[in-house]
Amino acid sequence: MARIDINCDMGESYGNFKIGKDSAIFPYITSCNIACGFHGGDPLHIEKTIKGALAYDVQIGAHPSYPDLAGFGRRNMQIPEEELRALVKYQISAIKGMVESLGGRLQYVKPHGALYNTAAHEAREAMAIIKAIQEVDDSLYLMGLAGSPIQELAAEQQIPFVAEAFADRKYMKDGRLRSRSAIGAVIESAEEAAQQVVDIVLQQRVETYEGEYWPLEAQSICIHGDNPAAVAVLQTIDQKLEQEKITKVGFTHG
Amino acid sequence: MARIDINCDMGESYGNFKIGKDSAIFPYITSCNIACGFHGGDPLHIEKTIKGALAYDVQIGAHPSYPDLAGFGRRNMQIPEEELRALVKYQISAIKGMVESLGGRLQYVKPHGALYNTAAHEAREAMAIIKAIQEVDDSLYLMGLAGSPIQELAAEQQIPFVAEAFADRKYMKDGRLRSRSAIGAVIESAEEAAQQVVDIVLQQRVETYEGEYWPLEAQSICIHGDNPAAVAVLQTIDQKLEQEKITKVGFTHG
Amino acid sequence: MARIDINCDMGESYGNFKIGKDSAIFPYITSCNIACGFHGGDPLHIEKTIKGALAYDVQIGAHPSYPDLAGFGRRNMQIPEEELRALVKYQISAIKGMVESLGGRLQYVKPHGALYNTAAHEAREAMAIIKAIQEVDDSLYLMGLAGSPIQELAAEQQIPFVAEAFADRKYMKDGRLRSRSAIGAVIESAEEAAQQVVDIVLQQRVETYEGEYWPLEAQSICIHGDNPAAVAVLQTIDQKLEQEKITKVGFTHG
Amino acid sequence: MARIDINCDMGESYGNFKIGKDSAIFPYITSCNIACGFHGGDPLHIEKTIKGALAYDVQIGAHPSYPDLAGFGRRNMQIPEEELRALVKYQISAIKGMVESLGGRLQYVKPHGALYNTAAHEAREAMAIIKAIQEVDDSLYLMGLAGSPIQELAAEQQIPFVAEAFADRKYMKDGRLRSRSAIGAVIESAEEAAQQVVDIVLQQRVETYEGEYWPLEAQSICIHGDNPAAVAVLQTIDQKLEQEKITKVGFTHG
C-alpha cells in the first residue's frame, strides 16, 4: 500500500518574534524539523515544539542552519568544512539532548535553508553534515533533496537517507526547484499542490514548469508552514491522500 | 589520604577571539568547565577543548551561562525561571552530545559568571539549573559555591553536589567572596594561593580578609585561567600538594 | 487649544521575523520610536520605517535598548553606566545617521522596554541615557515616564523632556503602571483607552485601578503597536480627540 | 616630496574578548579603520579607539563588515545588495555619530575582511558600499584594493578613492594578493615588508611572489595589527621611510 511522510519546519519562533502556526499544523504532519537556535528557535520554543511533536506522535528531526539569525539561514556563508561540521554537531546535540530529556527520540537531521540547498549539490557541505551525523549517532536519517548528489553521498557513507520532495514548489525540467525569485516558483493552488503529492507517491514523478514529467522518488513531502495557506493545503492533501488510499505515516514506520 | 580536584574554565575562545591558555593549563587540572557558546565557546573551540580534556584524562563539565557574549556572561539578567531552565538545558545538551560523540562522558555542570553567583544565593536561578540537570541526566553533578544555599537545594533535590572553593580569591569573614571591585579581592601571590588550597583541603577553613578563619569544606578548587600567572599558580599548588601529600584527582574518582 | 502627541514603537521587525503592523499604524500617529537593532530592527527595516515616518510626516525618535534580541529588550541587565552610555550612544548615532541620510531629522530618544522602566526610576541608567544624548546632540528630546525621577534628572541636566503616558495601561494609585503580570494591567476597551487619553489631555489626571484619580501631565501618549487591536484603538482615540477638539500633533510643533 | 599614509584595523575587541594592541600601534599610523560592531568592536571599545585616534591625530575610518562576529567578518555571505547597502549605512552612521560626539570627523570607509575582498572585484557589493557612502556623506573617501575594479567604480560614481596596498602580504604576478592559505602569503621579515612599502611609494610597483614586478599605485599602506610583530614592522617601516625621505601623513592632508 502506498504511503508518504509529511514534514514541516517548526519551532522557528525566537523570543518575542513569532514564526509559523505550529499548533495548527501539528495535527496534519508526520515529521517535524525543529529549528536549533541558529536561524530561529530559542530553547523555550524548541522545548515547546518537542512537546508538541510528542503529543501528536510526530517524528522529530533536527533542523541545523548556518549561524545567521538576521538572514533566517537563507544566505550562503562560506564556512570551512571542519567548522561547519562542528556547528551542525552542536545543533544536533542540543536538540537530541532536549528531545531525550522529554522522553522522545531524535530520528533525523534535515539541514535548513541555504545550507540545505548548498549541501544538496556541494560535497564539502554535504560531507560536513554527514560527518556530524556519523559522530553523534549514525542511526539518524539524513533528509535531503530527492535525486540530488547528497543522496548518493549519504549512500556511499552508509547514512540512511530520506528523499524529500516539495508539495508547493514547482520543479524545472532538469529536476531542480524553480528559483523562488522566478514567477511560478510556488504552487498557489492547494488542489494543485495535493495533486503533485499524489503524482510523486503513486507515479514517482512531477509535472515540471515546462510541462514535461520528471521522475522523482521521495519518502517525505515538505510543507511550508510560513505559507499563510499552510493548513488549507494540508487539509486538501489529506483529502486527496484518503481518496487515493495513500497512508500518511512517518518514514521510520516499517 | 587527603585529596582535591582542581577545575578551570576552558574553551571560552570564540572564533577569532581567543581567551585563556587552555593547552598550557590542561596538564595541571583534573576537571574542566567547558563554555557552551552563550558567553564564549564556538562549536569548533568546544570540540577542541573536549579533545584536550580526553587527551589529559580531565573530567568534563558543562559551563552554561546567561546568553550574553558581549558581557561574557558576567552581567545579571532577569530571565524567567522556565526560560532559564530551558537555556541551561540547551547548553548542557549541546556539550553532552559533543562529549559523547568523541567517546567521552559529561560529568558535571557548573554555571558561569553572573549565573553562578546569582544561583549560589537565589532559589529561583538555582532551581532552574537543578531542574535542567534533572531533566537531562540526574547523575550529573552540580558544581557550586561551597556553603551557599544552592548546596542545600541540591541536597534537597537529590542532585550530587561538588562544593567549590577558590584558590586565588579572598574570602570575607561572612564566607562570601570579597568583591572583585574591592582591593585585595584577588590573591596575587602564587604561594599564598597554594597555601589557601592546602588550608581548605587539610583544615577545611580559609583565612579571611579580616584575618579570621572561616570553615569551608570543598571537593574542588577553581583556578582562573585568564589570570596571566595561571600556570605559575598551578605549578606552585602542585608542589605544595605534593609536600603535603595531598592527591590531586577528579572528584568522581572514588 | 488642547493638543497631544501620539507615539508608537516601530521598526521592530528583524529579518524574516516580523513584528507589528507599522504601515497600518503610521496614518494615526505623530511620533515613532524606531528600534535600533539591539532588541529588534535590522538596518533594512529601520530604513523602511524611517521612509514611512518621512512619508507620513511623523516625528522620529531613536528607541535604544539593552542588547537582548532573544529577550526583546524586556529583561533587566546589569550593565555598568559607562558601557550603557556607550551602547545608547551607538544606537542613537546609527539611527541619526540613517535618518539624516534620507533627509530627515532625529527629534528624540525614548529608551525601550526594561531600559525604559529602569531608567525611569534609577539615576544610574537615567544618567547613562542623558549623557549619551548630551554627547550626540543636546537638542534631542528625551521621552520618558511622566512624573518619574528621570523627568527631574532631565530638567537638572537641561535636556528637553517629553512626558509620556499610556493609553491602554492601567495606573495604580501611587502613579506607577500596574504590573503587566497582574489582572487588569491592560485596558482592553478602545473606548476606555480613548477616555484615558482625553482625561490626561484635558484634566491632567487618570483614574487609577483603585478608582481614585492620579494627577498626570503628559505631552505624548504611547500606543502599543503589537496590540492586535492597535488600529481600532487609534481610530477610537481619533474620534474622541475630534469630539473634544483636541489637536493631534507632534510635540515639537510649537 | 614622496608621502604615504599608514592604516591599521583598530577597535576590534569585543567585551572581554581582546584583539590587537591598539595603544601600541597608534603612535605609528596615520589612519585607523574602526570596527563597527559587526565583526568586532563593541560600543565602549569603539569609543575608546576614537579617543585614541583623536589623541594621536590619526585619521578615522569606519570599517564595516558582514554581520558575522563568530567568523570575524572573514567569510563570504550572500547578502542582497539593498540589504548590504543598509547594513553598511547603519555601521557608517554609528561610527560617524560617535566620532562627531567626541569632536572628531569621520574621513573614510574601508570595508572589512570578506566584504573588502568581494567588493574589490564584484560590482554588486562595491555598489552597495558606494551607495551607502553617497547616502550618508559623499565627501567620505572609500579605501579599497589598489588597482581593483572597485577603484574604477568609485571613480565613475565620483566617490573619492584611496588606493591601498599591503606591507606584509605578497602579491602574485596578476596583481592579486597571494591567498592566505598558501605558503609565502605573509611577509614575515620586517625588513622585507618595509622594502615593499618603499618600492610602492617610490617606484609604484611591488616584486611579486614569482619575482616579477607589478605596477601598483597606492596612497595608503595597510598594516595588520593582529600580527604579533606589528610594532616591530611599523618601527622598521618608520626607519626606512626616514632614510628614503618619505613623509608619513594622512591621505587627506594636502
Side-chain angles (χ1 to χ4, degrees), chain D residues 55-68:
Chain D
Y56 284 98
D57 196 18
V58 163
Q59 296 182 156
I60 297 172
H63 198 39
S65 167
Y66 287 129
D68 181 18

Side-chain angles (χ1 to χ4, degrees), chain A residues 72-84:
Chain A
F72 204 62
R74 291 182 174 161
R75 309 189 283 217
N76 262 322
M77 294 179 69
Q78 285 180 0
I79 299 183
E81 183 179 333
E82 270 298 276
E83 185 175 353
L84 183 57

Side-chain angles (χ1 to χ4, degrees), chain A residues 90-108:
Chain A
Y90 176 95
Q91 294 179 72
I92 298 174
S93 295
I95 299 297
K96 183 170 185 279
M98 295 187 83
V99 171
E100 292 175 357
S101 82
L102 294 163
R105 188 178 165 198
L106 183 69
Q107 300 273 17
Y108 67 99

Side-chain angles (χ1 to χ4, degrees), chain C residues 40-92:
Chain C
D42 61 86
L44 209 50
H45 276 105
I46 289 171
E47 202 179 52
K48 189 183 165 191
T49 309
I50 294 168
K51 287 179 182 170
L54 294 175
Y56 284 99
D57 196 19
V58 163
Q59 295 182 156
I60 296 172
H63 198 39
S65 167
Y66 287 129
D68 181 16
L69 202 64
F72 204 62
R74 290 182 174 160
R75 310 189 283 217
N76 263 322
M77 294 179 71
Q78 285 179 1
I79 298 183
E81 183 181 333
E82 269 298 277
E83 185 176 353
L84 183 56
R85 181 193 50 70
L87 288 174
V88 171
K89 193 161 138 178
Y90 176 94
Q91 294 179 72
I92 299 174

Side-chain angles (χ1 to χ4, degrees), chain A residues 11 14 34-43 46 63 65 69 91 95, chain B residues 90:
Chain A
Y14 188 77
I34 302 186
C36 308
F38 279 40
H39 76 281
D42 62 85
I46 289 171
H63 197 39
S65 168
L69 202 63
Q91 294 179 72
I95 299 297
Chain B
Y90 176 95

